[in-house]
Amino acid sequence: MTRKKQPELTPSIIETKREDFYYQLFERKLKKTTEPAAGTYEEIIDRLRGSKVTLVGDGVERFLNKPSGLSLHAIKMLNCPPIEDLAACGLQKYQNKIFDFPKPLYLRAPDVCIK
């Protein structure tokens, strides 16, 4: 009997401090398979079922507070590069006049309204 190989997904799950999460799904070699989005636990779980999953991001701990039934491959907490390296990279770009300013990314509507 040949076993069907499970697809491997690496969801990045980011904490929102609300009931939902920010997330994006990546394939095996970190090729994105979805655009960044905001979603509930149930919405994200539905997208991950039947896959071998490696979770990353600061929202993973809260995400795994409920039983998921997922085939977890690994949970990775990635280390950040040293601040000196980030500063050197920024200085080099500034000196070479390579400017690529961060742009806002809105994944959901604001929680405020104008009176």
Side-chain angles (χ1 to χ4, degrees), residues 52-114:
K52 189 174 181 181
V53 178
T54 300
L55 298 169
V56 298
D58 67 350
V60 170
E61 184 175 357
R62 182 169 65 93
F63 186 79
L64 291 177
N65 277 340
K66 298 179 186 178
S68 66
L70 296 175
S71 171
L72 294 176
H73 179 255
I75 299 170
K76 293 183 181 179
M77 299 304 289
L78 303 176
N79 293 326
C80 294
I83 192 68
E84 298 85 6
D85 293 349
L86 293 173
C89 179
L91 179 61
Q92 182 182 21
K93 287 181 177 258
Y94 176 77
Q95 290 171 338
N96 294 331
K97 297 184 180 11
I98 301 171
F99 301 105
D100 186 17
F101 296 103
K103 296 159 193 68
L105 174 64
Y106 298 101
L107 302 179
R108 56 188 300 279
D111 292 331
V112 297
C113 61
I114 300 173

